[in-house]
Amino acid sequence: MSMSKPEDILNRIYDQALPEPADLEQALSWDKPQELERLFNFADTVRKEYCGDGIIPRGIIEFSNFCDKECSYCGLNKNNRKLGRYRMKAEEVLKSAGHLFSCGIRTVVLQSGEDPGSDVSWLAEMIKQIKSQFALSITLCVGERPFQDYRRWKDAGADRYLLKIETSDKELYRQMHPGMSFEQRIGCLDALRESGYQVGSGNIVGLPGQSRESLARDILFFKQNNFDMIGIGPFIAHQETRLAGQPKGQALLTLKVLALARIATRNAHLPATTALGSLGEDYRQEGLKCGANVLMPNFTPLPYRKLYEIYPDKKCVNEPVGACNFCMEQMAKQINRFIDYTKGDSLKFKGVTLNV
Ligand code: 5AD
Ligand code: FES
């Protein structure tokens, strides 16, 4: 199999109900310009066929940076005493939602740390308020919760939920998430699906100790679970974490994972993540050219935005609110694409079911 031509490998990854880990691993090892060009062009063709040329914007509001967890990579981890913590008021969240709505965006992502003080009723009320005032789809990204909370928020009107697996490698997962359980995370993903959400997941590329095989298995995990959206971003070390000083995930490796996820999953929504824009250079446009079809502009009010420091030098931290919209338009235009101002529901409902 290792004698296969890039074209054959890519065709197999595209065609097979469950691609071979060895094929994915091989493709992840490519670094010759011709191989990379074949990979990225193939992914771009699949993106065009299944998702079209529209780039769907999802406006993000990071409404609280309190967190109860100790993820080894994340600057919001509870042991970071240097970080000023905030929790936005309901009126502030509503105002931000109104703002992104007035920019034409039709999905709001409500994200926070795993804030023990953010109670289930508060968020349920928030969801109802947003839904009654604006024609917005609501995506929640607030971590692991009791399953009844997921149902409560779904009943309140939430449409989608993002819960990244971060790594599908159990041993690496354990190292990265002290006090957490891989099985419980899978349980949450299943419960979200059963509660009727469109479910997003994703991983971090370049975690210390992560192998190529492990990344290949992440891609298989995405395909097997038929996720509606998959966020793929590079690891960026934060100084107030256990992983301080570790090298960043490489942009190129992240782009390869993104491209292969596009080829394997065909029609999942794949964002060009903010982390991909935060490596010193902005690689989001590259991401959009090799599989991505979503952007996530930041609508957190400025004073809070710099406190949502998951990793350092996060893109857009000093941009005035709304600047991101202009920036997205520019980015799309430069690559002959357009911003698709619709809700951007899952494409998995449209008959192309790849579940195996
Ligand atoms: N580098 C890259 N991505 C990170 N995330 C958290 N910390 C880091 C980091 N240091 C990502 C996780 C999480 C998302 C909100 O941010 O994937 O799910
Ligand atoms: Fe935020 Fe460009 S997307 S400034």
Side-chain angles (χ1 to χ4, degrees):
M1 200 176 291
S2 60
M3 299 304 286
S4 300
K5 292 198 300 262
E7 206 59 42
D8 299 336
I9 294 176
L10 292 172
N11 279 319
R12 282 203 297 268
I13 293 170
Y14 177 73
D15 284 331
Q16 284 171 354
L18 210 52
E20 297 291 331
D23 279 338
L24 289 164
E25 254 188 270
Q26 175 108 33
L28 286 169
S29 76
W30 290 340
D31 52 14
K32 294 200 194 77
Q34 316 88 284
E35 292 167 334
L36 292 171
E37 199 184 315
R38 279 311 299 133
L39 169 61
F40 294 156
N41 283 343
F42 199 118
D44 197 47
T45 306
V46 176
R47 186 271 311 153
K48 195 175 170 74
E49 179 174 352
Y50 286 87
C51 312
D53 283 337
I55 297 169
I56 304 157
R58 320 272 196 208
I60 180 161
I61 304 173
E62 298 148 333
F63 66 89
S64 161
N65 71 349
F66 281 91
C67 193
D68 215 11
K69 294 274 162 77
E70 327 180 37
C71 303
S72 305
Y73 43 80
C74 184
L76 305 190
N77 76 83
K78 72 171 179 192
N79 302 319
N80 182 0
R81 303 271 145 70
K82 292 195 181 152
L83 184 66
R85 304 282 172 165
Y86 70 90
R87 199 173 281 131
M88 284 170 65
K89 292 194 173 33
E91 306 88 78
E92 295 175 303
V93 178
L94 267 181
K95 190 166 167 230
S96 300
H99 185 213
L100 68 90
F101 182 78
S102 72
C103 289
I105 295 174
R106 292 295 173 263
T107 295
V108 60
V109 180
L110 300 176
Q111 187 179 96
S112 72
E114 294 206 9
D115 180 354
S118 137
D119 81 9
V120 58
S121 308
W122 183 88
L123 189 52
E125 190 50 36
M126 194 72 253
I127 293 163
K128 283 187 199 154
Q129 291 270 336
I130 292 176
K131 281 284 178 179
S132 69
Q133 295 191 29
F134 310 107
L136 283 169
S137 281
I138 298 181
T139 301
L140 301 179
C141 181
V142 302
E144 296 180 17
R145 300 283 300 213
F147 299 167
Q148 64 264 29
D149 294 7
Y150 291 155
R151 281 194 289 273
R152 177 91 184 274
W153 295 328
K154 187 76 189 55
D155 292 342
D159 302 277
R160 316 189 185 119
Y161 204 104
L162 297 180
L163 185 69
K164 290 175 65 169
I165 193 69
E166 316 294 2
T167 170
S168 66
D169 180 328
K170 279 188 204 171
E171 179 49 31
L172 186 60
Y173 186 92
R174 202 181 55 70
Q175 289 169 25
M176 292 293 132
H177 304 97
M180 290 171 69
S181 137
F182 184 81
E183 285 70 28
Q184 185 172 315
R185 201 153 187 94
I186 300 285
C188 286
L189 285 166
D190 292 342
L192 287 164
R193 183 71 91 194
E194 280 158 27
S195 307
Y197 287 94
Q198 295 173 42
V199 181
S201 196
N203 68 348
I204 303 178
V205 177
L207 286 167
Q210 189 178 42
S211 64
R212 218 178 262 151
E213 183 191 348
S214 166
L215 287 169
R217 295 202 180 275
D218 287 353
I219 298 165
L220 286 175
F221 176 83
F222 300 150
K223 167 112 183 173
Q224 277 174 302
N225 284 277
N226 205 28
F227 292 119
D228 303 294
M229 168 148 158
I230 301 155
I232 295 165
F235 164 69
I236 302 171
H238 188 288
Q239 59 285 7
E240 297 299 327
T241 63
R242 276 204 313 116
L243 300 178
Q246 295 282 341
K248 288 177 187 171
Q250 293 169 12
L252 183 61
L253 183 60
T254 310
L255 294 172
K256 287 191 267 189
V257 176
L258 178 62
L260 289 166
R262 167 59 67 213
I263 296 167
T265 70
R266 300 190 183 188
N267 64 351
H269 286 308
L270 302 181
T273 53
T274 305
L276 197 50
S278 307
L279 288 168
E281 244 181 274
D282 188 346
Y283 289 96
R284 287 176 301 172
Q285 209 167 33
E286 301 311 310
L288 292 167
K289 291 196 282 190
C290 70
N293 71 320
V294 171
L295 279 171
M296 303 183 75
N298 194 321
F299 281 83
T300 308
L302 271 188
Y304 301 125
R305 215 188 286 183
K306 64 175 177 304
L307 297 175
Y308 204 83
E309 198 190 48
I310 309 178
Y311 45 79
D313 303 319
K314 206 168 122 210
K315 184 77 191 157
C316 310
V317 159
N318 296 310
E319 252 39 64
V321 177
C324 293
N325 239 41
F326 178 71
C327 172
M328 283 191 315
E329 289 284 353
Q330 295 295 104
M331 221 187 297
K333 204 175 295 165
Q334 283 167 14
I335 55 173
N336 291 317
R337 305 263 283 279
F338 63 93
I339 304 295
D340 171 5
Y341 291 100
T342 61
K343 288 186 169 175
D345 273 314
S346 173
L347 300 169
K348 301 281 178 193
F349 298 138
K350 291 192 178 163
V352 192
T353 307
L354 293 158
N355 222 347
V356 286

